[in-house]
Amino acid sequence: MSLSTNLTDHLLVCAVVAVYLISGGRVSIGCSIVVLYALSMYDSAKNLKVSEAESDQVSLEGAEKQKKKTCCGGKGGSSCCSSGGSGKKGGCCGGACASKKKAQEELTLTSPNPEPSVDEPIAIDFTHAFKPARSSKSKTGTKKMPRLISRTAGGAKKDTGFFKKALTVSNEKLSNSQIYVFYSSLQGAAERSAKTVLETLSGMPELKRTPKLLNLDDLSDFDDYFVNVPGPDALYILVLPSYDSDSPLDFFLQSLQENANDFRIDKFVLRKLVGYAVLGIGDSESWPEKFCYQARQADLLLAKQGGRRVFPVGEICMKFGGDPKVAEWSKLLSETLRDDEPILYEYDETLDDEEPQGPEDELTKEPLIDLEDVGKSSELQDVSSVKKMIGKDSPTFKNLTKQGYTVVGSHSGVKICRWTKNDLRGRGSCYKHSLFNIVSSRCMELTPSLACSSKCIFCWRHGTNPVSKTWRWEVDDPEYILENALQGHYAKIKQMRGVPGVIAERFAKAFKVRHCALSLVGEPIMYPFISKFVSLLHQKEISSFLVCNAQHPEPLRDLGKVTQLYVSIDAPTKNELKKVDRPLYRDFWERLMECLDILRTTQSHQRTVFRMTLVKGFNMADVSAYADLVQRGLPCFIEVKGATFCGTSDGNGNPLTMQNIPFYEECAKFVKSLATELQRRGLEYDVAAEHAHSNCILIASTKFKINNEWHTHIDFDKFFELLNSGKDFDHMEYLQKTPEWALFGNGGFAPGNTRFYKKKRGQEIQDKEGQNLPESANTQPIVV
Ligand SMILES: Cc1cc2nc3c(=O)[nH]c(=O)nc-3n(C[C@H](O)[C@H](O)[C@H](O)COP(=O)(O)O)c2cc1C
Ligand code: SF4
């Protein structure tokens, strides 16, 4: 108790005694005073305790205020000069922060019941919250997780721990997805295997939807599945063979790679898929180095674009009974789809360091690749490796030779057409005779590129000829191609010498080819040396008829002189063209427009022809839209031909039937209304000539009607004379009068030939040039 308190007490006692004496020393008053005094003493003792506690609180607040003025605001840590981090003990706060921190820590540690208030933040240590399943499981001896691919950039590995690990787990129910089984097959093994996969999956009662089977080579646009996806729950299974020579799969892989590098396409565009799995088939004995390499490429490309692998790539050698292994892979896949356990889609390989690799790692033999490195993988560089377009041992080679082609070098083909044989036997030439004066027995049909940049529905490519937007193969010399093509052609002519009815004179002349139709199958203008090749033809006085698909404006612009330049116009509108030609280019319509502009301008000196192939139900309705195209390209001629039915369309995606084949009358009606529409617009065109037998009718610019007589025929001697003169000349300088028999309405059958009516045992079939083919080729789809 303090001195001041004692003094107050003494004064109080004196005052009480004085009051007692003044009041006469009465006992009752004296007692009351003593009680009051005792009460007041108790109260003051209590107050003293409270004030002592308050004064402690005030002094703490004062210390807090002072702390905020220190170097670190009292936080200590590395920002405080008193902390260990600064290396200075004491610092500006004299070490108060540090000592305070220490005191607080001590308080916390010694506090018996440190119940935090609701508002206080709680610190939880997540370090061990996401232990990789693999590590923990393998320690207990249970199944190890498959090795999967990380999508994390190397630099980001260290700081994405929490989110990255959380992203690795997916709980999608795979059995709810719509499964698409894709395949690509040249000889049938992949198709068979895909069907096994399909059957196995279809037998799963858990699957909500029936799986679908799709041939990659029949897809008109890969983008429908590999840029867009058909639904939110699509799951893809790809069954792919490998070929070290060119195969349709090359184009698919090339497209995937282009998508991966196309800045307009979302980098992880295939994240929209529930997942994917690839089954590779191949031959490990004959191609040990390249065994199933294209399946692996596909797998990496799908992963690179965000696809989630739901099952490891299968690699099965088909040489020695691979079918049971395919069934086994399919069964394992179906078990995975059934299994609702989460799948580790992304994988942090740094977590692998936590334990040594087990023997299972050896078994998987799957190299762990960071997705960021996928593009640099040597496997992927192979996607765009330069191959021969048609290797001698390739199925495409066998297919083409079976169909009567002579494959020249690695990318050209020559074939003797039925009209050539017909003309040798005096049975008449093809429609090009009546329209333009080409004699079939002296014509060679050739293409320097068996590959094409379209997949036209009426083409008889059987889904086997290579497709690509650009040239991606080894290139043969033009001299080599011409020399060997002529040899191949003459060899076939020679075979005709024993055929009954061959006219000796025509047979002799046939050994000096006069015309070359650069069409056949494929896209000739894709050949990088097309102009040189054409000039070599001209040097041998062989006229050139070049047909192109209007998808390659650059080489079209650069093209040198040709005798006649064709552009195929297979449909008049963008939508119809996409349906009919199934072009590979996204900007196919713009390319067509550019080609038309080139015909009207840069190449207007040439004899230009629009070639239209009429397919009922596909491209015959919109005459006015065709007129728009004519107005833009202003060709010299419009050659209109009805498509021809050539048998079934088995497995090559050709949707045409006999119902799509127009009759001559329908073609004639179409041609007349097109001519009328052009005239209505003030464009000077009219119907000129025909070859009724081939359903072919010619509309010509009226500038070829000289003195009221059509001059659609070519004076070939004059053409070479002009060419050899070295002077510039144009299409109006080598004309010849159209003979009477060829004019529209007269049928177009040349005199001097005997009309031959074949007994119709099967469908009469024709090749791309409109030439009829032997009946043995009756499995071919529509060709024109
Ligand atoms: C010309 C040719 C090249 C081949 N190249 C490879 C190859 O590089 N790697 C491979 O694993 N198998 C290769 N094979 C084997 C095929 O991939 C195998 O026969 C496959 O089953 C064919 O599938 P398909 O019948 O669906 O076309 C090749 C086969 C041929 C005929
Ligand atoms: S018809 Fe011609 S342009 Fe069309 S795919 Fe066949 S070869 Fe190519």
Side-chain angles (χ1 to χ4, degrees), residues 452 454 456 459 521-522 549 768:
C452 193
S454 298
C456 305
C459 181
V521 69
N549 65 2
K768 193 183 169 197

Side-chain angles (χ1 to χ4, degrees), residues 34 143 416 557 661 680 726:
V34 169
K143 209 171 98 190
I416 174 168
R557 192 178 288 112
I661 308 307
R680 193 189 64 75

Side-chain angles (χ1 to χ4, degrees), residues 550 553 574 586-595 632:
K574 191 173 175 178
R586 284 200 187 93
D587 58 346
F588 63 94
W589 188 249
E590 290 71 24
R591 285 173 172 270
L592 172 71
M593 291 300 129
E594 201 178 337
C595 287
R632 185 152 183 163

Side-chain angles (χ1 to χ4, degrees), residues 200-457:
T200 312
L201 299 182
S202 303
M204 287 173 62
E206 298 87 346
L207 274 200
K208 291 274 182 304
R209 280 169 246 186
T210 316
K212 294 181 181 173
L213 185 70
L214 290 170
N215 184 348
L216 281 172
D217 309 329
D218 287 348
L219 297 186
S220 42
D221 196 343
F222 291 137
D223 287 3
D224 293 343
Y225 292 90
F226 296 92
V227 173
N228 308 309
V229 297
D233 46 13
L235 192 149
Y236 292 174
I237 314 294
L238 285 86
V239 183
L240 307 174
S242 288
Y243 282 94
D244 69 341
S245 53
D246 200 86
S247 77
L249 189 60
D250 284 287
F251 179 61
F252 172 66
L253 294 174
Q254 194 193 24
S255 305
L256 281 186
Q257 195 170 43
E258 277 171 17
N259 290 351
N261 299 330
D262 191 332
F263 68 93
R264 291 164 299 184
I265 296 174
D266 176 11
K267 198 173 175 202
F268 298 126
V269 69
L270 295 180
R271 262 199 188 152
K272 288 178 271 182
L273 293 177
V274 171
Y276 77 91
V278 179
L279 170 61
I281 62 166
D283 179 341
S284 60
E285 190 188 58
S286 308
W287 287 274
E289 302 291 317
K290 295 191 130 191
F291 177 54
C292 288
Y293 78 106
Q294 288 186 304
R296 287 198 299 274
Q297 286 174 349
D299 176 68
L300 293 181
L301 284 165
L302 294 169
K304 192 181 180 195
Q305 289 169 82
R308 305 174 183 106
R309 189 189 300 105
V310 295
F311 198 62
V313 195
E315 292 180 26
I316 294 172
C317 175
M318 299 302 281
K319 195 155 200 174
F320 305 107
D323 291 326
K325 292 207 175 103
V326 171
E328 199 181 313
W329 186 88
S330 311
K331 197 162 161 280
L332 288 171
L333 170 70
S334 68
E335 278 163 21
T336 289
L337 301 186
R338 229 173 245 136
D339 189 348
D340 280 343
E341 277 291 298
I343 295 176
L344 206 58
Y345 289 136
E346 302 185 32
Y347 190 70
D348 185 350
E349 63 266 40
T350 56
L351 298 173
D352 259 3
D353 300 341
E354 289 175 15
E355 58 177 277
Q357 289 203 339
E360 311 98 308
D361 295 290
E362 274 304 301
L363 288 178
T364 64
K365 288 226 165 86
E366 191 182 340
L368 192 64
I369 300 171
D370 191 305
L371 281 186
E372 291 299 320
D373 298 334
V374 162
K376 296 164 214 151
S377 156
S378 60
E379 291 255 17
L380 279 189
Q381 278 161 18
D382 215 6
V383 168
S384 37
S385 68
V386 178
K387 292 177 175 178
K388 282 190 184 345
M389 186 194 289
I390 316 274
K392 289 267 181 287
D393 58 349
S394 71
T396 311
F397 182 91
K398 284 174 201 145
N399 217 325
L400 288 168
T401 42
K402 213 162 77 187
Q403 290 169 35
Y405 288 86
T406 302
V407 177
V408 177
S410 63
H411 53 75
S412 308
V414 66
K415 188 168 185 284
I416 174 168
C417 81
R418 186 176 174 226
W419 284 106
T420 303
K421 294 178 194 166
N422 259 3
D423 197 42
L424 284 171
R425 300 168 81 191
R427 293 177 177 183
S429 283
C430 76
Y431 69 89
K432 285 208 190 90
H433 187 205
S434 50
L435 270 43
F436 307 119
N437 193 25
I438 283 183
V439 178
S440 294
S441 54
R442 303 192 67 183
C443 179
M444 171 171 73
E445 198 177 12
L446 176 148
T447 182
S449 167
L450 285 158
C452 193
S453 52
S454 298
K455 301 202 255 179
C456 305
I457 54 169

Side-chain angles (χ1 to χ4, degrees), residues 108-148:
T108 317
L109 285 171
T110 51
S111 172
N113 280 318
E115 278 181 24
S117 82
V118 187
D119 299 334
E120 277 174 6
I122 306 170
I124 297 178
D125 182 0
F126 273 104
T127 317
H128 303 290
F130 288 86
K131 266 268 179 227
R134 178 170 176 263
S135 309
S136 54
K137 277 189 181 172
S138 58
K139 263 175 198 154
T140 55
T142 48
K143 209 171 98 190
K144 118 185 165 61
M145 294 297 287
R147 288 169 73 80
L148 291 155

Side-chain angles (χ1 to χ4, degrees), residues 434 664 690-694 696 740-750 755:
S434 50
Y664 171 80
E690 72 174 353
H691 189 248
H693 183 86
S694 308
C696 190
E740 197 66 19
W741 55 265
L743 294 175
F744 180 61
N746 294 347
F749 190 79
R755 190 166 281 189

Side-chain angles (χ1 to χ4, degrees), residues 145-157:
M145 294 297 287
R147 288 169 73 80
L148 291 155
I149 291 179
S150 160
R151 190 175 288 116
T152 312
K157 271 169 198 161

